[in-house]
Amino acid sequence: MNSARGRLTKDGIRIYEPGDYAGMAEAGRIAATILDDITFHISVGQTTAELDRIITEMVAAHSATSATIGYKGYQHASCISVNHVVCHGIPADKRIKDGDILNIDVTVIVDGWFGDTSRMYVAGKLPRKSERLIQVTHDALFKGISAVMPGNSFGDIGHAIQTYVENHRMSVVKDFCGHGLGQVFHAPPNVLHYGRPGTGPVLEEGMFFTIEPMVNLGRPETKVLADDWTAVTRDKSLSAQFEHSVGVTATGCEIFTLSPTDIFYPTYK
């Protein structure tokens, strides 16, 4: 549904009202709670299809609606991307192996508001190179979030992420980006995870959007498989992603999708 709340900037970005933050916070809390709870179902030998089935039940248990079931024909409550899958991995019957890393992405609708978040998980023993990738991706997200404040630009967010990642000799995926949201799933602006300081639209209080950097151990190029959803690294290098939904405040930003139990960063088994 398209929101008529607030106003639009010249760049087509909606400025939401002060009372709208509570709706986003509740949708974000439920999405984050689901990702907290799925942690305890991830193990070697589990299938991503079974994880998605559990997530579907969790969405219903919270009296929420999945934003992805039926979206452009997609039929799952989550995207689950394993190892070299960058994003939009389709849950399937293939079993998770020891040392696999997974990104699980969930979006729910609660009272018309969209809560969108993703994070990394680990099955079994984690290889050192995967641990480094996950750490850098996690920290890059928060470098981007630290640039969110009125008067800064979207280019400042992308620059903070890109420089941090490249300083660690990894690459930022440029084929996919974050997006505006609120009472609609995807809206302006495109939130790039690379860029130059001072470029792009200026941040204003009332903007809601996701920041969701995808970071590769190898080169940044991706390709989409024949299913028209699954994006993978062209060089088959490992990829990781973390995502938060945020709202610009008068002094910085509010993160709507914080983990209620403080387990946004994966716990290794």
Side-chain angles (χ1 to χ4, degrees):
M1 125 178 109
N2 205 359
S3 172
R5 306 174 80 97
R7 63 176 176 86
L8 293 178
T9 70
K10 64 181 178 62
D11 299 296
I13 303 170
R14 188 164 298 282
I15 305 297
Y16 284 92
E17 300 166 356
D20 296 334
Y21 285 75
M24 284 297 291
E26 179 61 9
R29 183 190 67 80
I30 289 176
T33 297
I34 290 169
L35 291 189
D36 280 8
D37 293 344
I38 200 63
T39 302
F40 307 102
H41 298 273
I42 293 171
S43 61
V44 175
Q46 178 67 283
T47 68
T48 55
E50 176 62 10
L51 293 175
D52 183 71
R53 184 194 66 78
I54 296 168
I55 289 169
T56 303
E57 291 181 349
M58 290 177 176
V59 172
H62 284 282
S63 299
T65 302
S66 169
T68 53
I69 295 177
Y71 179 77
K72 296 185 178 180
Y74 196 75
Q75 294 302 315
H76 303 277
S78 63
C79 293
I80 304 180
S81 303
V82 182
N83 293 335
H84 74 292
V85 178
V86 175
C87 59
H88 304 157
I90 301 174
D93 292 329
K94 187 174 181 180
R95 298 192 180 278
I96 299 167
K97 298 177 182 176
D98 184 37
D100 280 351
I101 60 173
L102 304 80
N103 175 273
I104 301 182
D105 190 338
V106 168
T107 307
V108 298
I109 310 170
V110 180
D111 295 329
W113 297 100
F114 285 72
D116 187 2
T117 184
S118 81
R119 66 180 79 155
M120 296 301 295
Y121 300 85
V122 175
K125 186 177 180 180
L126 182 68
R128 174 59 183 150
K129 65 179 181 179
S130 302
E131 184 177 5
R132 284 190 61 249
L133 172 64
I134 290 171
Q135 183 72 63
V136 168
T137 308
H138 172 273
D139 294 351
L141 168 62
F142 284 93
K143 292 289 184 181
I145 289 173
S146 69
V148 178
M149 64 185 69
N152 277 2
S153 72
F154 281 94
D156 293 329
I157 297 172
H159 180 74
I161 293 169
Q162 182 180 16
T163 54
Y164 184 79
V165 169
E166 292 179 353
N167 283 342
H168 285 82
R169 298 183 179 180
M170 300 179 193
S171 62
V172 174
V173 170
K174 298 182 178 180
D175 297 333
F176 300 94
C177 61
H179 53 88
L181 82 171
Q183 289 194 312
V184 62
F185 195 174
H186 295 100
N190 289 333
V191 182
L192 305 180
H193 304 117
Y194 61 95
R196 291 180 290 114
T199 61
V202 174
L203 297 165
E204 296 183 40
E205 183 179 2
M207 290 180 174
F208 298 164
F209 51 88
T210 70
I211 305 176
E212 46 186 294
M214 289 143 274
V215 176
N216 298 344
L217 267 181
R219 293 187 55 82
E221 293 83 8
T222 70
K223 64 179 179 179
V224 177
L225 301 184
D227 59 25
D228 289 330
W229 284 104
T230 308
V232 300
T233 56
R234 282 192 174 272
D235 61 6
K236 298 185 178 180
S237 63
L238 289 174
S239 187
Q241 179 185 21
F242 284 88
E243 175 184 14
H244 270 318
S245 295
V246 304
V248 184
T249 66
T251 57
C253 78
E254 178 178 349
I255 302 174
F256 298 126
T257 47
L258 288 173
S259 164
T261 57
D262 197 27
I263 55 171
F264 184 68
Y265 190 81
T267 300
Y268 306 135
K269 297 179 181 179

